Amino acid sequence: MQSPVCRRLVLVLGDQLDRNGPALAGLDAGQDWVWMCEARAEATQVPSHKARTALFLSGMRHFRDRLLAGGIPVRYRALDRESDPSLGAGLGAELKALRPRRVILTQPGEHRVLAELKGVCEAAGTHLEVREDTHFLCSTGDFAAWAGRRSTLVLEHFYRHLRRRESVLMDGDEPLGGRWNRDTENRKPLGRRGPGLVPSPLASPPDQTTRAVMDLVEVQFPRAPGRLDCFDWPVTPEQAQGALADFIDHRLPCFGPYQDAMWTGQPYLYHARISTALNLRLLDPRRPIAVAVEALQSGRAPLNSVEGFVRQILGWREYVRGVYWREGPGYLERNALDAHQPLPAFYWTGETDYACLRAVIGQVLETGYAHHIQRLMITGLFALLLGVEPRQIHAWYLGMFVDAVEWVEAPNTLGMSQYADGGLLTSKPYAASGAYINRMSNYCAGCRFDPGEALGERACPFTTLYWDFLARHRVRFSSHPRTALQWRNLERLEPERLKVIRQAAEALRRSLA
């Protein structure tokens, strides 16, 4: 049987589900084919949460069906048919069958994937054209030009640069309202009574395609972490637009002041829940920025909430991607604090006496989600204080969160959360005791440990490990302008008490190894 004529093979990866994506530009349905592949390695490279795998596969199948309905030919390698062990193996088989003159690819979200696909094309003698990802407001080249030879990259400087360039929340050349950053207005705890009635996010109930994918995941990856009972993530552009509109209408006004707050049984609070849609390209980042600004202009949301939301997308999201591609694959190997402790087993099960970790990890296992403070100041903070090897906690975040793609996850984990890059991404480690968790959540109220105690049967592990962390890294941070106060507090501890605290911390490490 003669193979179909193929001039160009256009690769669409699982996080590139945009009909207007660069690789699809200029596609000729009479000569070109779109190629998509459900590769087993993408669900097993790290232990991937069932909801994460289901999200990618469902999004891919809905996108395939949309292309086919539009008359675009698609070569789709499904997991339950071809069962390709890797993207490279699947592409190699396709190149052999179709013999295209050229392969076209939008820049992937992982160094590993780009290297793998390049290698396959080189081995087959097929030219590979990698196109810049126009989904982002700042290209990798533009970021590299901005970064120049800076030894330290400061988000605030980059954020102001993009605000000016894109004319977002600006009054001429000055920030709207006179201040660039409204962080001081956006750190409120919920108080003892909690959040009250919070509007539930708009759900995207699984359709027939998604249910089939969920069944497939259960069969193909029965031992994968997590559950699918609560799966309701957007998997189409229409669902993504609905989730965004729901956030703007019902939760954006309170997002700003309470974006750092945490509460038992409230996984979303006032957060947008659109990161999955953004990272799969179901939603262009320009759209949420625009509608948030419209909400401000129409009086439906205050400036502090809109600025805080815009900073997450226009500032932080673009910033971490720029860092990822600027630093290269070697960034994943950094370990500035010389941390080598194994990741505790309870990160995969949620079975622990620590109420905050039990609540957040249990939530992640159930939904594949935790908001940014739960990630940074609960699961990330404990790993930092304990001294977990950065690659191990990186693998956990990459596999366990539905919105995880390496370009966004790795800098957030290795740079911001674990300070493994030595201060390139953020100038100080986010180290805190149990007192912070007690202030920003109600987790401590249901815990047998006391956040104010560093020693004894009721000692909070966060607090014990916090003082030990300060002692271990005294030389590095005691003179740092942004951390000196914390280390001055260390000096107030009696030497004998600190010695006993450090012994307790070491015993804790041994028990969790």
Side-chain angles (χ1 to χ4, degrees), residues 137 168 284-294 306 309-310 313-314:
L137 287 88
V168 175
D284 188 290
R286 296 160 187 83
R287 180 62 182 163
I289 293 171
V291 295
V293 172
E294 288 171 8
V306 173
F309 178 66
V310 166
I313 300 174
L314 179 66

Side-chain angles (χ1 to χ4, degrees), residues 327-376:
E327 294 305 304
Y331 187 80
L332 302 181
E333 305 302 327
R334 297 192 184 179
N335 189 356
L337 299 184
D338 196 30
H340 299 286
Q341 181 79 9
L343 185 69
F346 64 69
Y347 270 73
W348 301 103
T349 66
E351 297 172 1
T352 175
D353 289 343
Y354 314 153
C356 58
L357 285 161
R358 184 173 65 244
V360 174
I361 295 172
Q363 172 188 309
V364 172
L365 288 166
E366 185 175 355
T367 66
Y369 174 86
H371 68 66
H372 66 277
I373 293 300
Q374 291 175 315
R375 300 188 202 200
L376 177 64

Side-chain angles (χ1 to χ4, degrees), residues 69-115:
I72 296 174
V74 181
R75 299 278 287 195
Y76 194 92
R77 299 181 73 88
L79 188 65
D80 45 352
R81 295 200 305 272
E82 283 83 8
S83 194
D84 291 309
S86 67
L87 285 171
L91 179 59
E94 212 68 79
L95 295 182
K96 185 176 181 181
L98 295 180
R99 299 187 181 278
R101 299 174 192 170
R102 178 183 295 258
V103 170
I104 299 177
L105 171 69
T106 299
Q107 184 179 20
E110 292 193 26
H111 298 292
R112 171 187 61 85
V113 171
L114 180 58

Side-chain angles (χ1 to χ4, degrees), residues 6 121 133 146 204 209 218 269 361 371 394 489:
C6 180
C121 289
D133 192 345
W146 171 82
S204 300
T209 298
E218 294 287 12
L269 286 171
I361 295 172
H371 68 66
H394 155 64
N489 289 334

